[in-house]
Amino acid sequence: MKTTVVGSYPKPKWLKYVPEKDKLEAIKDAVRAVVKDQEVAGVEILSDGEVWRDEMTSYFANRIDGFVIYGEVRVWGNTYYPKPAIVDELRYRKPILLQEFEFLKKVTDRKVKVPITGAYTLVEWSFNEYYNSKEEAVYALAEILNEEVKRLVKAGADFIQIDEPAINSKDLEVVENAIEITLKGIKVYTALHICYNDYRKLFPEVMDLKVNQLDLEFANRKFEDLEILKEYSFDKDLGFGCIDVHSKRVESVEEIFKAIEKALEVVDSRKLYVDPDCGLKLLPRNIAFRKLKNMCEAVKIITFINEA
Ligand SMILES: [Zn+2]
């Protein structure tokens, strides 16, 4: 089994105080810090913590022609986010994630993954004022992501993760087509990350999606959803979210160990990728680090026992 992360990691606090003229250098230093945290914690497949990205929708919308961002929209309570709107034909402008990926490869020798917000979620979380239907917008965007994934793979990326938190059982066919368009003509290991969703409604159809791995969140619901996977003889690689990213309580090594044992009843250890439920960005950095460290420690012990 392997250890990995979903994507985001708490940004170093000083980053927000850096003046604009020094921002690029500071972001690179922040990536180095975030990568070092993951390496010290023992994570095998790293990300750059999505340090470059301000937000998972607008970051993409800002870099694709056809989008504008009107301003902050209230999503819940006092949380606002810059909601993009599609106002023209979507077109590929320039590389979106290539710079991030190339820099990450320079600062670590470990294997890395590239998380990409999926076309379906990007459209669901934007206004569509141009295309006649949601499907049309999703497929146009998937073509653009395909162009980007091609560049990433050409630059050496070998693990692409598509994030589709907005996935909905009513639109599974649209998501399926979008994933096929996003990955067409590309040979690369792929995962689909889905979180805070009703898995009961997505199974078993979600297992037909053409990705190698489903990365799901289990800690948040006390691992009950493993039962669904058992019912449907889960046969893909499993990204096993076993760290609650909404809680500051640091899970003990023993607790994570027991959770992994449960996951091993569902999939073979060779098909298991142990990670947190979702991105860690909302946690204090020291807590995110300690959670990852305990997760990796638990994997080390269970691997040792299994091999003995
Ligand atoms: Zn997530």
Side-chain angles (χ1 to χ4, degrees):
M1 77 188 78
K2 295 191 170 57
T3 52
T4 186
V5 286
V6 172
S8 76
Y9 193 80
K11 293 181 190 183
K13 277 198 207 98
W14 48 259
L15 189 57
K16 60 173 180 278
Y17 303 111
V18 174
E20 210 45 51
K21 67 176 174 52
D22 299 326
K23 211 64 185 205
L24 182 62
E25 185 185 342
I27 287 175
K28 289 181 172 177
D29 284 343
V31 170
R32 289 188 185 95
V34 162
V35 164
K36 193 72 188 171
D37 272 17
Q38 295 172 73
E39 288 180 349
V40 173
V43 178
E44 292 165 282
I45 305 170
L46 312 178
S47 79
D48 63 7
E50 298 178 9
V51 167
W52 299 85
R53 309 183 197 180
D54 32 25
E55 200 275 328
M56 69 181 286
T57 315
S58 58
Y59 185 79
F60 287 81
N62 272 323
R63 287 159 181 80
I64 296 169
D65 283 340
F67 274 109
V68 293
I69 291 174
Y70 288 136
E72 303 272 296
V73 171
R74 190 174 192 156
V75 269
W76 67 81
N78 280 321
T79 309
Y80 291 79
Y81 94 103
K83 188 165 175 172
I86 303 167
V87 296
D88 201 349
E89 189 191 342
L90 294 169
R91 280 179 311 268
Y92 189 86
R93 185 197 308 155
K94 59 171 188 184
I96 306 163
L97 305 171
L98 196 63
Q99 178 193 20
E100 291 180 12
F101 172 73
E102 287 178 335
F103 184 70
L104 178 59
K105 288 303 285 178
K106 272 189 221 159
V107 300
T108 185
D109 294 329
R110 294 201 190 168
K111 198 173 153 66
V112 305
K113 71 155 74 162
V114 185
I116 297 178
T117 308
Y120 183 79
T121 293
L122 285 172
V123 169
E124 275 288 287
W125 290 354
S126 303
F127 298 109
N128 170 22
E129 298 172 3
Y130 178 80
Y131 291 94
N132 292 322
S133 67
K134 179 161 70 183
E135 287 93 310
E136 226 184 284
V138 171
Y139 301 154
L141 204 42
E143 293 285 356
I144 290 166
L145 296 182
N146 176 253
E147 178 69 39
E148 182 68 15
V149 175
K150 274 183 194 153
R151 286 171 198 236
L152 286 164
V153 171
K154 203 170 163 207
D158 56 5
F159 188 158
I160 301 286
Q161 174 184 286
I162 299 176
D163 296 334
E164 287 285 16
I167 193 171
N168 185 309
S169 56
K170 293 190 299 254
D171 276 336
L172 266 181
E173 208 184 305
V174 181
V175 175
E176 181 172 8
N177 294 336
I179 289 174
E180 273 179 44
I181 297 170
T182 303
L183 299 173
K184 76 178 167 203
I186 297 160
K187 264 205 179 127
V188 65
Y189 184 87
T190 50
L192 176 66
H193 169 69
I194 307 171
C195 54
Y196 309 106
N197 212 292
D198 189 348
Y199 296 151
R200 182 63 66 187
K201 287 188 182 150
L202 296 175
F203 273 84
E205 291 81 5
V206 73
M207 291 197 297
D208 296 335
L209 299 179
K210 292 197 179 58
V211 289
N212 303 92
Q213 177 189 134
L214 285 183
D215 181 54
L216 307 173
E217 140 260 326
F218 292 95
N220 180 54
R221 273 175 294 203
K222 312 241 177 314
F223 305 98
E224 284 164 10
D225 289 337
L226 278 170
E227 290 306 315
I228 307 173
L229 275 61
K230 257 188 219 169
E231 268 171 52
Y232 293 111
S233 323
F234 188 77
D235 59 357
K236 285 188 184 299
D237 291 358
L238 178 65
F240 178 59
C242 63
I243 298 294
D244 191 347
V245 304
H246 291 161
S247 159
K248 288 184 188 160
R249 188 182 67 85
V250 177
E251 292 84 350
S252 70
V253 174
E254 190 189 0
E255 186 182 344
I256 303 166
F257 180 98
K258 284 183 180 152
I260 297 169
E261 278 190 317
K262 279 188 210 152
L264 287 173
E265 291 169 17
V266 178
V267 289
D268 187 272
S269 63
R270 277 166 305 179
K271 295 171 87 78
L272 193 61
Y273 290 69
V274 177
D275 64 0
D277 274 0
C278 189
L280 296 163
K281 70 175 174 192
L282 295 176
L283 288 168
R285 187 167 156 206
N286 67 322
I287 291 189
F289 173 76
R290 284 164 55 208
K291 281 176 177 259
L292 282 184
K293 192 162 183 287
N294 282 1
M295 181 188 88
C296 295
E297 191 61 34
V299 169
K300 222 187 273 171
I301 296 171
I302 212 159
T303 306
F304 178 78
I305 292 173
N306 284 351
E307 280 168 5

